[in-house]
Amino acid sequence: MSPVPDPAGEPPDRSPWSEDRLLDGRISLKQPRQGYRAAIDPILLAAATPALPGERVLDVGAGVGAASLCLAFRVPGAHVTGLELQSDLVELAAANIRDNALEGRVGILAGDLQSPPACLPPSGFDRVMSNPPFQKAGTHTPPPGAGRALAHGEGSADLSAWIAFCTRMLKPRGTLTLIHRADRLDDLIALLHGRFGAVTLIPLWPKAGRPAKRVIVTARRNARSPAIMSPGLVLHETDGSFTPAAEAILRHGKTLEP
């Protein structure tokens, strides 16, 4: 049966992906209609990664490239490499890089962090950023769809494996930036202990007076400086709209300062 055209005479869009916009339209992003879809987490992750022009950044679990593209927009001259396990997301990420004319500064590699591509050099990156799966294996009911299940819950690579791989990829004194659930902060701190210092915690408050559900953690490899708890970022006003501080980051590509 032929698709029923819409009122304007166009057939319905049957493509498996949608085309969305980030940073107030500055970044175009193809992503699956079904499965994990990028929201604000990758934008906040990129905004908190303290990259400088000329530095090399690794995005572990890059998905369709949302965080990589946002960081490349915010830091002209930074070079970003994404590593992603799911081949369909790698294809979309490559298309997103082309669509945003960032082929010379952003690249995407297909691979597993437990057996990474040989072209990823240990200690080869100034910054590593990552949005690891939030749920411990065996502690939750996986959402429907293989893509969402991989994005939301740990598989054979648990949080310890993610942190170990990110550590190997960083240069001495390089920085790791993670976004994760606030209720797993104790796991994160335990895994960073002895490998990282100068840990900065940035709570993401859904509204003023509400407990944080997400936290961004930035740490420096081999550093010994004490940890800092920043004031954090309030995301929403009481009416549900974004706060001016959140708007500056999510729409205009500003840095998330600790």
Side-chain angles (χ1 to χ4, degrees):
M1 182 180 293
S2 299
V4 178
D6 68 15
E10 296 293 333
D13 188 350
R14 295 293 181 86
S15 63
W17 48 265
S18 63
E19 184 153 350
D20 303 299
R21 296 281 172 172
L22 303 179
L23 300 182
D24 207 25
R26 296 174 176 89
I27 298 292
S28 64
L29 192 78
K30 292 183 175 73
Q31 56 182 337
R33 292 186 185 278
Q34 304 295 324
Y36 175 78
R37 291 175 59 79
I40 67 173
D41 284 3
I43 307 174
L44 295 169
L45 174 65
T49 299
L52 299 172
E55 290 187 334
R56 297 188 66 197
V57 181
L58 178 64
D59 181 6
V60 182
V64 298
S68 295
L69 296 169
C70 288
L71 187 139
F73 170 82
R74 184 175 64 82
V75 188
H79 297 273
V80 188
T81 300
L83 177 66
E84 173 54 45
L85 177 64
Q86 300 181 66
S87 59
D88 56 334
L89 300 187
V90 172
E91 292 177 6
L92 284 176
N96 288 330
I97 292 166
R98 292 192 299 270
D99 291 347
N100 289 281
L102 286 168
E103 297 97 322
R105 293 181 45 223
V106 183
I108 182 75
L109 296 174
D112 187 338
L113 64 85
Q114 296 180 101
S115 181
C119 59
L120 282 180
S123 303
F125 294 89
D126 303 283
R127 320 284 176 179
V128 174
M129 61 181 182
S130 184
N131 182 4
F134 286 163
Q135 303 283 358
K136 286 184 180 180
T139 64
H140 72 297
T141 300
R148 290 187 68 198
L150 282 171
H152 287 271
E154 295 173 359
S156 59
D158 60 9
L159 185 58
S160 176
W162 283 70
I163 298 295
F165 173 72
C166 292
T167 304
R168 288 196 302 273
M169 292 297 103
L170 271 172
K171 294 179 178 179
R173 310 289 294 180
T175 60
L176 170 63
T177 304
L178 303 164
I179 186 167
H180 217 293
R181 289 168 53 116
D183 60 8
R184 295 202 65 188
L185 184 56
D186 54 346
D187 294 332
L188 282 171
I189 296 301
L191 291 168
L192 294 175
H193 181 71
R195 297 166 167 166
F196 292 86
V199 177
T200 300
L201 310 175
I202 307 176
L204 301 174
W205 316 107
K207 291 182 180 180
R210 300 277 185 88
K213 294 183 178 180
R214 298 280 191 275
V215 63
I216 293 175
V217 179
T218 296
R220 186 176 295 277
R221 186 180 179 188
N222 303 130
R224 294 291 180 266
S225 303
I228 297 172
M229 176 71 78
S230 84
L233 175 69
V234 178
L235 294 171
H236 296 101
E237 305 282 10
T238 55
D239 63 1
S241 62
F242 285 116
T243 63
E247 285 268 355
I249 295 165
L250 298 173
R251 301 199 185 282
H252 305 301
K254 301 300 182 183
T255 299
L256 174 52
E257 301 289 352

